[in-house]
């Protein structure tokens, strides 16, 4: 999939806007945890299976984001990175973040929560990716057009993977991404705590059951 109607711009997309959207979505997710409960009861086989799959997806998210930032950290909007994970997808960071959002929903034990969080993340990142693509088109021109014509926009294609012999990365960007990943991992004990408080009666009952 390519951006057929991109309009080149001279200014990079302000990442602060994306962060605002992501934080709003995170706040809504927290409200979801407090106001709802999964239909599958804690300890049931179905609930435990969804939790396990969700935890695996969150780990994939953290590892994938760290892998991606090794290639683009410190060089975003300055160089056209097209190797490693960026050879399979134009937006591997957004792809892995969406995987993590789906994982959080499954950690909660709800397919509906996983779908809502995944779709919300995908739509937010889709808008952001397009804004970034417009800037990159204006900066790199024909080289960027060639890149987006051979590389999927979102879903990675491992068959076209290619890499470079040497790699320089930003330790600062890697450290920041690692700390960001801890937020994803912290969701699991937070969900477990909410479920425990609700079962013991220390937290008000949920208003809605989600599947």
């Amino acid at each position: 999939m390519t951006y057929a109607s991109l309009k080149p711009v001279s200014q990079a997309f302000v990442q602060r806007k994306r962060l605002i959207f992501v934080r709003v979505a995170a706040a809504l997710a927290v409200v979801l945890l407090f106001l709802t409960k999964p239909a599958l009861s804690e300890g049931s086989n179905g609930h435990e299976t969804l939790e396990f799959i969700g935890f695996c997806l969150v780990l994939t998210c953290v590892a994938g984001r760290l892998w991606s930032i090794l290639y683009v950290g410190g060089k975003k909007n300055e160089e056209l990175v097209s190797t490693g994970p960026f050879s399979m997808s134009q937006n591997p960071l957004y792809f892995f973040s969406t995987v993590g959002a789906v994982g959080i929903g499954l950690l909660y034990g709800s397919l509906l929560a996983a779908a809502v969080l995944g779709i919300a993340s995908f739509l937010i990142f889709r808008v952001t990716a397009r804004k970034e693509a417009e800037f990159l088109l204006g900066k790199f021109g024909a080289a960027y057009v060639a890149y987006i014509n051979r590389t999927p926009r979102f879903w990675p294609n491992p068959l076209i993977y290619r890499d470079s012999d040497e790699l320089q990365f930003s330790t600062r960007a890697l450290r920041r991404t690692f700390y960001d990943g801890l937020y994803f991992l912290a969701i699991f004990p937070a969900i477990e705590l909410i479920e425990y408080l609700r079962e013991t009666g220390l937290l008000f009952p949920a208003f809605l059951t989600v599947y």
Side-chain angles (χ1 to χ4, degrees):
M1 184 184 299
T2 60
Y3 300 89
S5 58
L6 285 178
K7 297 179 180 179
V9 297
S10 58
Q11 293 184 337
F13 176 70
V14 180
Q15 291 293 328
R16 187 177 302 173
K17 295 179 180 179
R18 176 182 61 83
L19 291 175
I20 292 175
F21 281 118
V22 171
R23 288 168 182 170
V24 169
L28 292 176
V30 171
V31 172
L32 175 70
L33 293 179
F34 279 98
L35 299 182
T36 66
K37 69 176 182 178
L40 296 173
S41 59
E42 174 72 16
S44 66
N45 291 335
H47 191 283
E48 294 300 313
T49 299
L50 290 183
E51 273 194 351
F52 175 76
I53 296 174
F55 189 67
C56 290
L57 291 181
V58 170
L59 288 180
T60 299
C61 163
V62 175
R65 285 179 55 80
L66 288 172
W67 180 37
S68 301
I69 212 67
L70 282 175
Y71 286 81
V72 77
K75 295 179 286 187
K76 190 168 186 178
N77 296 331
E78 298 299 327
E79 297 181 18
L80 180 55
V81 180
S82 59
T83 57
F86 291 88
S87 68
M88 301 187 298
S89 169
Q90 297 171 37
N91 300 284
L93 279 165
Y94 296 158
F95 169 76
F96 286 116
S97 295
T98 302
V99 168
V102 173
I104 290 172
L106 294 179
L107 279 176
Y108 184 57
S110 168
L111 292 173
L112 178 59
V116 169
L117 292 176
I119 292 173
S121 297
F122 175 80
L123 293 177
I124 291 172
F125 292 136
R126 181 182 177 88
V127 173
T128 304
R130 183 179 181 85
K131 295 294 185 181
E132 291 177 346
E134 290 173 348
F135 169 75
L136 293 174
L137 177 62
K139 183 164 187 175
F140 298 107
Y144 186 68
V145 172
Y147 170 68
I148 64 176
N149 283 337
R150 69 173 182 265
T151 311
R153 187 195 303 189
F154 187 76
W155 301 104
N157 180 4
L159 298 178
I160 61 175
Y161 179 83
R162 65 187 185 90
D163 212 337
S164 54
D165 295 330
E166 296 182 357
L167 177 65
Q168 293 182 336
F169 63 91
S170 166
T171 55
R172 179 181 180 183
L174 186 64
R175 183 171 58 252
R176 184 173 62 248
T177 303
F178 172 75
Y179 290 145
D180 289 343
L182 294 181
Y183 287 104
F184 281 93
L185 294 175
I187 292 293
F188 181 65
I191 291 174
E192 292 295 312
L193 177 60
I194 291 174
E195 290 176 344
Y196 171 77
L197 294 176
R198 184 163 285 142
E199 288 179 358
T200 57
L202 296 177
L203 189 67
F204 56 82
F207 292 99
L208 182 66
T209 300
V210 294
Y211 290 88

